[in-house]
Amino acid sequence: MSLSTVINAGLVVPTRPVRALVLMGGGARTAYQVGALKAIGAMLRLQPRAGRDFPFEVLVGTSAGALNAAYLAGTAATGLSAFDQLADFWSQLRSRDVYALEVTPWVRFSRLLAAASLWRNVRGHGAILDTMPLVDTLHKAISLQGIDDALMKRAIDAVAVTASSYTSGVHWTFCHTAGDPRHEPWNRPGRRSEFQPLTIEHLMASSAIPFLFPATSLWVDGRREFFGDGSMRQVSPLSPALHLGAHKVLVLGVGQPERSSIAGTPASHVASAPTMGFIAGHALASVFHDTLQADVEQAQRVTRTLKQLPREIAGVLPYRSVEVVAIQPSQSLDALAQAHAHELPGAVRRALGGLGALKGGGGVIASYLLFEPGFVQKLVALGERDAYARKEELLAFLGAATA
């Protein structure tokens, strides 16, 4: 988050305070966001001074967080019940609704067979997993018409999703609004935006986990480019919310800023080198989570600096202060996934097991693919607990704190 982003975003002058919800990516781990949002909805219903309207004007999502953002945008016109509908969707979701993998049962006994079988999938689908099930699921679950209705009714002002172009290397944010002239596209080094109606293709592009999910083509600047997961090259995850006019930003991440162990062993006691499974999981964690904490801290630091300026100077600068609240899991999702790795579909479990990727920190990889009830329910419950632990802060952020 640069100072120029904060100042340039201040040029957007909304007619009312704007609250943004930023949902980070992380595959199945984003069920954590569902629990936090479900708790927020329950909190607001119990506040006598709180309304029942949808509490965020801007929705920004990346990767699987983009799927959650789009679902909420499509149901925002129903108010707080949008959070419950999202929770119901996740309660019915299974891995078979997201991806498919066909491998021979013999892969569990040989890394060579496992690698050959997965390579065959890569040649057939452009990635290890076939994501046509997710295409079908999103067409049934995401209401594109509902997004248009929510924008026209001013239930929300904007919804945006991000994706990374394999073709140009540019990180794109695709913004869907009701044609508000206050919002203009931005162009920063390595980061650009385009205003266009969202489609299922945008969501597939944003959530295309590298190597696991195939790339998706989209049209930008009058040409077709191939896109992958929006978490890649995402150097400033908060900037779209600020460019879209947010005064307050609630960020729901799904990673741990610091991993304290390998496969449950305290870091101080680890003597052996990390396994291939742990290294692969560490690489995925870097794709999804490394920039969030730094961006939040920088945004908060820039805002504090701007607030400390003399009033005479602040009054002539084109800026606004931005309040940022970030919530991330209070316990390791890696360890939680390790305990539920047996729930993975048989083919995935056999393939990862054949590669030795379920040992020595293999829970990291499993956590992105475990769209199964046991793991999802644990994440939802954890999200609820973490949100309730910060109840007063969240209610004050949403302007619904009790007197």
Side-chain angles (χ1 to χ4, degrees):
M1 178 67 61
S2 65
L3 179 60
S4 63
T5 296
V6 176
I7 291 178
N8 286 320
L11 297 175
V12 179
V13 183
T15 57
R16 53 176 173 160
V18 175
R19 289 169 296 207
L21 175 65
V22 175
L23 301 176
M24 301 298 292
R29 300 164 75 106
T30 55
Y32 172 84
Q33 299 168 350
V34 178
L37 293 170
K38 184 178 178 182
I40 288 173
M43 293 176 199
L44 290 176
R45 287 190 183 93
L46 295 176
Q47 300 306 310
R49 294 189 299 173
R52 297 295 181 267
D53 294 336
F54 192 75
F56 300 99
E57 288 76 30
V58 173
L59 294 169
V60 177
T62 300
S63 190
L67 309 187
N68 284 340
Y71 190 100
L72 290 173
T75 55
T78 65
L80 295 179
S81 68
F83 299 138
D84 295 322
Q85 293 177 62
L86 179 63
D88 289 341
F89 167 71
W90 273 87
S91 70
Q92 300 173 44
L93 194 64
R94 301 293 184 270
S95 297
R96 63 176 177 269
D97 301 317
V98 180
Y99 58 82
L101 175 65
E102 294 184 6
V103 294
T104 172
W106 297 105
V107 298
R108 74 178 73 179
F109 302 113
S110 167
R111 294 192 180 189
L112 183 59
L113 281 175
S117 183
L118 295 180
W119 176 246
R120 187 167 57 250
N121 280 276
V122 170
R123 294 188 64 182
H125 306 294
I128 292 175
L129 301 173
D130 177 6
T131 54
M132 281 307 299
L134 180 58
V135 174
D136 294 337
T137 297
L138 295 181
H139 274 291
K140 295 174 183 176
I142 305 295
S143 174
L144 299 179
Q145 182 59 52
I147 294 176
D148 286 331
D149 291 344
L151 290 168
M152 294 303 297
K153 294 177 181 178
R154 297 299 304 276
I156 57 174
D157 292 343
V159 57
V161 304
T162 62
S164 182
S165 173
Y166 288 123
T167 305
S168 64
V170 174
H171 186 269
W172 285 85
T173 298
F174 299 97
C175 307
H176 190 168
T177 70
D180 195 328
R182 296 173 303 169
H183 301 308
E184 296 183 358
W186 60 89
N187 189 343
R188 301 287 182 271
R191 298 184 287 121
R192 294 185 61 181
S193 70
E194 186 158 306
F195 283 72
Q196 56 182 252
L198 293 184
T199 65
I200 299 303
E201 286 72 25
H202 288 97
L203 302 180
M204 292 300 297
S206 180
S207 59
I209 302 174
F211 305 112
L212 297 179
F213 291 3
T216 298
S217 63
L218 298 172
W219 285 85
V220 291
D221 280 349
R223 67 174 184 175
R224 187 174 71 155
E225 296 189 9
F226 287 88
F227 286 82
D229 201 292
S231 296
M232 296 185 291
R233 305 174 70 94
Q234 189 176 33
V235 297
S236 187
L238 301 186
S239 67
L242 300 189
H243 281 291
L244 291 170
H247 288 78
K248 295 184 172 186
V249 181
L250 173 61
V251 191
L252 298 183
V254 293
Q256 296 86 210
E258 181 177 346
R259 186 174 297 115
S260 60
S261 65
I262 295 179
T265 303
S268 59
H269 296 163
V270 175
S272 59
T275 65
M276 186 61 67
F278 183 83
I279 293 173
H282 184 73
L284 278 179
S286 298
V287 168
F288 282 108
H289 308 301
D290 279 357
T291 62
L292 175 58
Q293 186 179 23
D295 202 35
V296 169
E297 290 176 354
Q298 188 167 358
Q300 293 171 336
R301 185 167 58 251
V302 169
T303 296
R304 284 195 302 268
T305 300
L306 292 173
K307 284 185 175 181
Q308 292 171 0
L309 290 173
R311 183 176 303 177
E312 294 78 10
I313 296 177
V316 298
L317 289 177
Y319 82 90
R320 64 173 182 275
S321 60
V322 179
E323 178 183 353
V324 180
V325 173
I327 297 179
Q328 294 206 78
S330 58
Q331 69 182 68
S332 170
L333 303 191
D334 302 348
L336 193 61
Q338 189 85 59
H340 288 269
H342 63 278
E343 296 181 20
L344 283 167
V348 176
R349 193 170 62 251
R350 289 192 296 271
L352 293 179
L355 292 172
L358 290 181
K359 299 177 181 179
V364 184
I365 298 177
S367 69
Y368 298 101
L369 301 175
L370 262 170
F371 296 90
E372 299 297 332
F375 184 58
V376 167
Q377 290 168 9
K378 291 289 187 180
L379 291 183
V380 170
L382 178 60
E384 289 183 278
R385 289 198 302 271
D386 287 352
Y388 275 114
R390 299 175 65 175
K391 178 179 178 181
E392 295 304 319
E393 180 183 9
L394 287 170
L395 288 177
F397 173 90
L398 295 168
T402 57

